[in-house]
Amino acid sequence: MPAPENHLKKALASGRRLYGCWATFADPYATEIMATAGFDWLVIDGEHAPNDLRSMMHQLQVLHGRDSQPVVRLPMGEAWAIKQVLDIGAQSLLIPMVESAEQARDLVRATRYPPQGIRGSGAASARATQFSTDLDYIATANDQICLLVQVESRAGIEALDDILAVDGVDGVFIGPSDLSADMGYLGDTRVDEVQQVIRDALGRIATSDKAAGILALDHDVARSYRDWGAQFLAVGIDVLMLAHAARATMDRWRDG
Ligand SMILES: O=C(O)C(=O)C[C@H](O)[C@@H](O)CO
């Protein structure tokens, strides 16, 4: 059997708008619950959530065959870490802090087997090949990789056009929090200067052959980002959904 078709990659290539959510409990039970909501994609966050390889694998397992497509976000784009998450079965990666075309090219190579890249060949004993059940995985895996890179700094914005020219990158995600911090507005993504940079970046990405992505927790802001060209649009974080609902519930009863 060949590598599984990457439905997220195919949907992004079709131009279809996809709504996603951050999965940050680092727990398969919670991620399985999130999959019942109908999000098109779920980010298994290895950057800001307490995930490790095993917890990410367990979340990939519960999402297998579900409509919500898993995207694994690594803490940084290191080839050894990419090799490990691909071997546990990830096919869509979100890599933070990309600031140059060279870095993007290195990430493409890290996600592909030779001759296109440098991904280590050891999946015979890995979940990715279903433990050597999928004998054609190695030969077909490269074509099913969906690589999403995060541009979230002034340097990344400066290099955006060069990054957009890199073959093998499927989408560019603008990280509002880190971008605003790098621009000198730590914790405030809503300032006009940041919003203008985001609007310009989404527009440039949307007119390229890559998909534009971003995260917004405020629905009005998310609508703006959608109107500015966001195609893979994350509209929530699971931990905050629970935290806000729990606090609101107690607020209702605390006052009697
Ligand atoms: O910089 C950003 O914004 C992102 O990359 C998204 C955040 O990392 C996400 O964890 C929400 O805070």
Side-chain angles (χ1 to χ4, degrees), residues 17-214:
R17 182 171 292 118
L18 303 171
Y19 296 98
C21 188
W22 251 242
T24 58
F25 282 98
D27 182 285
Y29 198 61
T31 298
E32 193 171 24
I33 293 168
M34 293 306 292
T36 66
F39 292 106
D40 299 306
W41 52 292
L42 291 171
V43 175
I44 299 171
D45 192 4
E47 183 185 11
H48 290 299
N51 268 304
D52 59 24
L53 207 55
R54 193 167 289 274
S55 66
M56 289 192 279
M57 180 181 68
H58 292 156
Q59 292 169 83
L60 289 171
Q61 289 170 325
V62 298
L63 292 179
H64 181 70
R66 306 295 293 251
D67 290 337
S68 297
Q69 298 303 304
V71 176
V72 173
R73 180 164 75 167
L74 288 171
M76 286 302 283
E78 299 291 342
W80 62 267
I82 288 171
K83 172 171 54 179
Q84 286 189 316
V85 287
L86 294 181
D87 279 358
I88 63 171
Q91 291 183 292
S92 300
L93 301 184
L94 179 63
I95 307 293
M97 283 299 170
V98 175
E99 297 187 316
S100 70
E102 179 186 8
Q103 193 180 348
R105 283 191 292 272
D106 287 345
L107 291 171
V108 171
R109 287 173 50 78
T111 59
R112 268 67 171 187
Y113 284 118
Q116 288 86 354
I118 59 166
R119 180 184 173 186
S121 173
S125 59
R127 181 174 178 271
T129 66
Q130 282 299 292
F131 317 103
S132 283
T133 303
D134 298 349
L135 297 177
D136 296 328
Y137 173 87
I138 300 276
T140 57
N142 288 358
D143 292 340
Q144 299 305 326
I145 295 294
C146 180
L147 175 61
L148 307 172
V149 300
Q150 292 194 226
V151 168
E152 46 191 350
S153 65
R154 288 166 296 171
I157 293 292
E158 186 68 27
L160 181 58
D161 287 339
D162 294 336
I163 293 169
L164 290 172
V166 175
D167 290 336
V169 172
D170 297 86
V172 178
F173 177 98
I174 301 298
S177 298
D178 281 314
L179 176 60
S180 60
D182 188 60
M183 291 178 65
Y185 301 101
L186 178 63
D188 188 358
T189 64
R190 305 287 289 271
V191 295
D192 286 347
E193 186 181 347
V194 174
Q195 289 296 302
Q196 281 308 312
V197 170
I198 289 174
R199 180 169 189 164
D200 171 68
L202 289 174
R204 286 154 66 191
I205 301 164
T207 54
S208 76
D209 65 347
K210 317 291 189 212
I214 196 165

